[in-house]
Amino acid sequence: MATGYNFFILIALFILLIFAYFFMTCVLTIRLINHIRNKQQEKFISKWQDHIFGYLYSNLNPQELISRIPKNKYKYLFSYLRTFLFNLKGDDLDRLKQLITETSLREYFINKLNKHSRKKQVEAIYFLRFINTEEVVDLLVKTLKAPNELIFRTTVESLAYLSAYKNINLILDLSKKRKYLTKESILSMIIKFDQSICPILTKRLETEKSTDIILVIITLLWHFKYADALKNILNILFYSGNKDLIIESIRYLGEVENLDSVNALRFFLSHSKPEIRVAAIQAVGKIGDTSLEENIIIKILDPELEVKIEAAKTMYKFSNKSEYKLLEYANNPSGQIESIIAKRIIMEKRILEND
């Protein structure tokens, strides 16, 4: 029986060795492939770098340069171009874009959109963002319906680069249907648009039912400091019972200074939930409205520790009056929690200021 047991142990070890060998072979193969690619990329750069830079600072027709580069070297060209498209600005960037917009590469990328290779599709979608035409925008909008996440994200980013803000509602509608997209990932895509999307997003707040999408919209509106959405945000603030929506709306108020914002914040400083009181204190600190100074000072006596700490932080930077009051608490020898908090905040702030 022991012999049989040992036999199974040997079989198990043999299988583990095979898996280990297979894994190491895969790793070494991948490294070898990457090494070969890097060498090929270096070889391409050494041969074509001077030609590309020469093109940038000459009157050479962009098609003349592209015609000289073999198609089987395009992948190295595109990798090289992406680096400079990120780093160049002004006339140099415009000149580089002409290699895509005014050459055969334009049709090359359009044709790649229909390929089965996801890698080639993503590459095409990325470079098409530099061709600002209705045709390209329409092609990219169709690509939004692709099931692949990377294709979807890259398409949204390309549409943002092209300022195709009129498609923002479609993008949000499709985002809601994709279960793998969180509100954070949706936000990371949409935030690449500019503030032209704000009127559309504000209008959408009137009908949107998804809490995640509403949170994304409010975040975008305060990111762009879009004051015209104040009425819509106040409606959400006072009629929504969702804690996250209330907190995000309060953050918006902190970015948009307005009398209605101040009155709303005064109300939410006394909210029953400490997280909301904290958010209101932070917003008041950003606005810096002195009419709420006494409301902030008294919050250091709040029963919740997190509220006390946030009130102390805001008092330190609010005004000379509130800072002096914080010093009074710090110098109080009673050892009360407010005194301890005040001392810690003052010490931390001064250390940061002296760094």
Side-chain angles (χ1 to χ4, degrees):
M1 189 170 180
T3 304
Y5 178 77
N6 291 336
F7 175 75
F8 283 116
I9 291 291
L10 288 172
I11 292 295
L13 288 173
F14 180 71
I15 293 172
L16 285 174
L17 284 172
I18 290 175
F19 273 112
Y21 177 78
F22 176 75
F23 177 76
M24 289 179 64
T25 302
C26 289
V27 170
L28 291 173
T29 302
I30 292 170
R31 286 185 177 180
L32 179 60
I33 292 171
N34 287 334
H35 176 74
I36 293 171
R37 285 177 178 171
N38 290 335
K39 287 295 181 182
Q40 291 293 327
Q41 184 72 42
E42 290 171 6
K43 186 178 178 181
F44 175 86
I45 292 172
S46 65
K47 181 176 180 179
W48 291 100
Q49 181 171 252
D50 290 342
H51 295 282
I52 293 172
F53 274 98
Y55 156 78
L56 287 177
Y57 304 109
S58 71
N59 295 320
L60 183 69
N61 185 296
Q63 183 58 48
E64 290 183 42
L65 175 60
I66 295 302
S67 297
R68 290 157 56 189
I69 300 174
K71 279 193 175 182
N72 63 354
K73 302 297 181 184
Y74 274 6
K75 60 183 176 182
Y76 305 117
L77 170 65
F78 300 151
S79 178
Y80 190 61
L81 288 181
R82 287 184 77 147
T83 302
F84 287 100
L85 287 167
F86 272 115
N87 297 314
L88 291 180
K89 294 181 180 179
D91 293 339
D92 290 342
L93 178 59
D94 291 336
R95 182 72 170 147
L96 193 66
K97 285 181 181 179
Q98 288 177 350
L99 291 175
I100 302 166
T101 61
E102 298 180 15
T103 69
S104 56
L105 289 183
R106 177 191 178 107
E107 293 304 317
Y108 175 87
F109 288 124
I110 289 175
N111 292 333
K112 288 293 181 183
L113 279 180
N114 299 318
K115 297 295 181 182
H116 293 296
S117 168
R118 290 176 182 174
K119 182 179 179 181
K120 291 180 179 179
Q121 284 183 314
V122 169
E123 184 178 68
I125 292 165
Y126 173 83
F127 282 102
L128 284 173
R129 70 183 59 180
F130 303 109
I131 305 174
N132 197 350
T133 66
E134 285 188 25
E135 177 195 11
V136 167
V137 170
D138 289 343
L139 286 170
L140 290 174
V141 168
K142 291 178 182 177
T143 310
L144 283 171
K145 296 179 181 179
N148 181 265
E149 179 183 1
L150 183 57
I151 290 176
F152 181 76
R153 291 181 65 90
T154 309
T155 303
V156 173
E157 290 170 6
S158 289
L159 289 169
Y161 191 94
L162 292 167
S163 298
Y165 62 90
K166 292 181 181 179
N167 296 286
I168 197 67
N169 277 326
L170 174 62
I171 291 169
L172 289 174
D173 289 340
L174 292 173
S175 296
K176 287 197 294 184
K177 295 177 181 179
R178 294 172 180 261
K179 295 180 180 180
Y180 56 78
L181 286 178
T182 63
K183 62 178 181 295
E184 289 79 16
S185 57
I186 295 172
L187 177 62
S188 69
M189 292 186 294
I190 307 298
I191 207 167
K192 290 181 170 60
F193 284 84
D194 61 26
Q195 61 183 2
S196 301
I197 62 173
C198 290
I200 300 173
L201 294 178
T202 303
K203 181 69 176 175
R204 188 178 179 110
L205 282 178
E206 297 173 7
T207 56
E208 182 58 58
K209 302 299 182 184
S210 166
T211 298
D212 283 351
I213 296 298
I214 295 174
L215 284 169
V216 168
I217 292 174
I218 297 173
T219 302
L220 288 163
L221 292 172
W222 69 250
H223 170 77
F224 290 115
K225 301 182 188 298
Y226 187 68
D228 289 349
L230 179 60
K231 181 180 177 181
N232 302 71
I233 300 299
L234 288 175
N235 283 337
I236 293 171
L237 189 61
F238 284 105
Y239 295 108
S240 170
N242 184 286
K243 183 183 70 174
D244 292 334
L245 287 178
I246 292 172
I247 290 174
E248 204 63 30
S249 297
I250 289 172
R251 286 174 181 160
Y252 171 88
L253 298 185
E255 299 294 337
V256 181
E257 188 172 355
N258 182 285
L259 180 59
D260 291 333
S261 296
V262 173
N263 290 334
L265 289 173
R266 181 180 287 109
F267 174 81
F268 282 96
L269 282 169
S270 301
H271 197 275
S272 60
K273 293 182 179 178
E275 306 98 309
I276 293 175
R277 298 201 296 275
V278 167
I281 292 170
Q282 291 171 339
V284 171
K286 283 191 173 183
I287 293 176
D289 192 297
T290 53
S291 68
L292 294 174
E293 187 168 20
E294 288 298 330
N295 301 70
I296 296 298
I297 291 173
I298 200 171
K299 284 300 163 187
I300 199 171
L301 300 175
D302 192 276
E304 297 293 334
L305 179 61
E306 59 189 302
V307 180
K308 290 176 182 288
I309 293 172
E310 200 58 47
K313 288 179 181 178
T314 303
M315 287 169 67
Y316 184 86
K317 63 181 180 181
F318 203 95
S319 73
N320 290 334
K321 177 183 175 181
S322 58
E323 185 177 355
Y324 180 76
K325 188 67 177 176
L326 189 65
L327 283 168
E328 282 187 352
Y329 278 111
N331 293 325
N332 189 328
S334 65
Q336 291 181 331
I337 186 65
E338 292 82 13
S339 176
I340 296 170
I341 290 171
K343 287 177 183 177
R344 196 190 83 178
I345 295 300
I346 291 171
M347 181 179 68
E348 287 178 355
K349 296 294 185 182
R350 287 179 178 174
I351 289 172
L352 288 172
E353 289 169 359
N354 292 328
D355 279 350

